[in-house]
Amino acid sequence: MTVLVTGGAGFIGSNFVYHMLKKYPDYKIICVDCLTYAGNLSTLEKALENPNFVFLKTDICDREEIYKIFDEHKPDIVVNFAAESHVDRSIENPEVFLKTNILGTQVLMDACRKYGITRYHQVSTDEVYGDLPLDRPDMFFTEETPLHTSSPYSASKASADLLVLAYYRTYNLPITISRCSNNYGPYHFPEKLIPLMIANALADKPLPVYGKGENVRDWLYVEDHCEAIDLIIHKGKAGEVYNVGGHNEMKNIDIVKLICKKLDKPESLITFVTDRKGHDLRYAIDPAKINKELGWLPKTKFSDGIEKTIKWYLNNKQWWETIISGEYRDYYDKMYRNR
Ligand code: NAD
Ligand code: TYD
């Protein structure tokens, strides 16, 4: 079995590569990633020692190169993680989000049609459903919740989802889609909430909380997401959408306070800054379908997952210190200096 994983040098894709290499030692894993600011080859250092792993530096929008890769490696399954993934960056510059997230998806599915595959899996997000009110804890996103996006990021992901469903209906391409809640864990790029707060707290820098910190996210440990995708590509039904999330809702401010406590840092580091434009209030997934049909349930409790994550950032300082010392520093200055 050959599995082509796009975006495998990013946060979730790399965790998925390691998950697959460990669980299926006889599978060949081909990773396609063009190494944007969010992709890091050092993340795949250990995978590169495995003879069943191949890394190809290619843009998923490059039709010619993608067709060549399909022609040579003949993947059975394609899992598309490659995307521009950061909401704040999409607010600054939407264009690349439309290109990679929509047109890149189209190129990959065209290659799947041309060369034939048993499954194309699109890694999507709960953000395609928009947000839920803070005062209705009884409301959750189901697979039937209408798409209702807020940011250029979520709009691009929803557009891709519609295209994927259109390729199923029109061309009978055997697709599946997973819509997952916020992930956390090792190799999370330090521009996102949890790793950013860990890195800043360790450096005794201000912890910039948007608005009042009341926004709620539904956090899932990344390995649980990888297991869900593994189940869907092997046992999920073509044409179906599966929501993935673990009923673990937390307010941003509570996460930041917890990180301060775990790192023994004062809450006085917390700084409330100007809110994100169009900031989604609450995300909350109802995972009943994937639980009932595929038996998936998250295995990692948040208290254990956050402990493991903090430990990982403490033990792998070189990985993230290299990132925040480079081009990222200009991004940070631009986004936070006068906020
Ligand atoms: P990430 O930004 O950490 O990684 C994205 C990877 O894609 C990077 O390695 C980057 O180099 C690569 N990439 C970007 N554009 C590319 C292109 N044109 N061609 C080839 N490679 C390209 O993102 P992530 O957090 O790992 O998210 C992976 C996927 O999961 C995305 O599709 C995202 O929408 C989805 N998702 C993320 C979360 C989350 O909490 N992070 C939750 C739900 C869904
Ligand atoms: P983020 O990690 O960017 O994920 P997403 O926007 O996809 O949910 O942000 C998670 C939450 O944390 C979101 O409500 C915005 C908030 N946030 C802050 O308060 N401060 C920050 O510096 C960042 C990056 C995010």
Side-chain angles (χ1 to χ4, degrees), residues 12 105 125 189 196 211 325 337:
I12 309 175
T105 297
T125 165
F189 195 83
L196 185 141
S325 67
R337 196 172 349 126

Side-chain angles (χ1 to χ4, degrees), residues 50-333:
N50 189 320
N52 282 343
F53 178 75
V54 175
F55 177 81
L56 301 166
K57 186 176 181 309
T58 303
D59 189 325
I60 59 163
C61 301
D62 186 336
R63 189 173 288 273
E64 207 175 307
E65 281 302 311
I66 291 294
Y67 282 12
K68 265 195 221 154
I69 291 169
F70 272 70
D71 196 24
E72 185 183 344
H73 294 281
K74 309 219 164 18
D76 301 289
I77 297 175
V78 174
V79 185
N80 181 24
F81 291 93
E84 289 292 335
S85 70
H86 189 31
V87 174
D88 292 321
R89 287 186 190 249
S90 83
I91 295 168
E92 288 300 296
N93 178 18
E95 192 158 341
V96 66
F97 284 72
L98 309 194
K99 194 161 172 271
T100 290
N101 299 2
I102 307 172
L103 298 179
T105 297
Q106 185 212 358
V107 168
L108 290 171
M109 289 195 298
D110 284 344
C112 289
R113 285 183 59 214
K114 187 170 159 72
Y115 293 93
I117 39 92
T118 58
R119 177 61 55 86
Y120 172 85
H121 183 73
Q122 178 75 0
V123 181
S124 186
T125 165
D126 61 354
E127 301 192 26
V128 299
Y129 299 121
D131 62 354
L132 296 163
L134 290 175
D135 60 355
R136 288 292 305 274
D138 56 314
M139 288 176 77
F140 297 95
F141 297 136
T142 73
E143 291 77 2
E144 271 69 52
T145 302
L147 304 189
H148 185 76
T149 55
S150 314
S151 70
Y153 163 67
S154 55
S156 69
K157 293 295 287 184
S159 306
D161 282 13
L162 292 176
L163 198 62
V164 173
L165 292 170
Y167 271 55
Y168 174 67
R169 170 84 186 243
T170 306
Y171 307 116
N172 218 7
L173 189 73
I175 63 90
T176 37
I177 297 176
S178 52
R179 295 184 180 143
C180 189
S181 59
N182 286 60
N183 285 213
Y184 68 102
Y187 301 116
H188 204 179
F189 195 83
E191 69 186 354
K192 306 281 174 82
L193 180 78
I194 289 180
L196 185 141
M197 296 301 165
I198 296 173
N200 280 17
L202 286 173
D204 296 307
K205 279 172 59 178
L207 308 177
V209 172
Y210 299 167
K212 293 186 181 139
E214 297 288 314
N215 305 60
V216 170
R217 297 293 182 262
D218 180 1
W219 293 95
L220 183 73
Y221 192 63
V222 62
E223 177 60 20
D224 283 322
H225 186 189
C226 295
E227 280 189 6
I229 294 171
D230 176 359
L231 266 177
I232 295 169
I233 59 177
H234 289 103
K235 299 199 174 126
K237 202 171 145 222
E240 294 292 313
V241 174
Y242 296 91
N243 280 357
V244 183
H247 282 306
N248 184 55
E249 292 174 52
M250 295 197 53
K251 281 186 199 168
N252 294 339
I253 187 69
D254 293 337
I255 299 246
V256 179
K257 283 184 179 168
L258 182 67
I259 290 171
C260 288
K261 194 165 163 219
K262 296 267 177 205
L263 291 173
D264 202 17
K265 296 290 178 180
E267 285 183 12
S268 57
L269 286 175
I270 295 173
T271 315
F272 293 95
V273 301
T274 310
D275 209 352
R276 174 186 280 172
K277 292 189 180 95
H279 198 172
D280 280 338
L281 294 172
R282 171 175 167 251
Y283 302 143
I285 284 273
D286 175 359
K289 178 175 172 180
I290 188 168
N291 174 237
K292 195 161 154 243
E293 292 184 13
L294 305 179
W296 178 87
L297 269 181
K299 291 186 181 147
T300 309
K301 282 197 302 203
F302 188 77
S303 52
D304 298 334
I306 195 73
E307 194 81 43
K308 278 202 266 187
T309 304
I310 291 177
K311 239 185 221 152
W312 189 89
Y313 279 86
L314 286 170
N315 292 335
N316 292 274
K317 274 191 174 169
Q318 209 195 338
W319 180 85
W320 56 269
E321 279 180 349
T322 313
I323 292 171
I324 61 178
S325 67
E327 181 200 331
Y328 176 74
R329 197 183 287 161
D330 299 334
Y331 164 82
Y332 195 88
D333 276 354

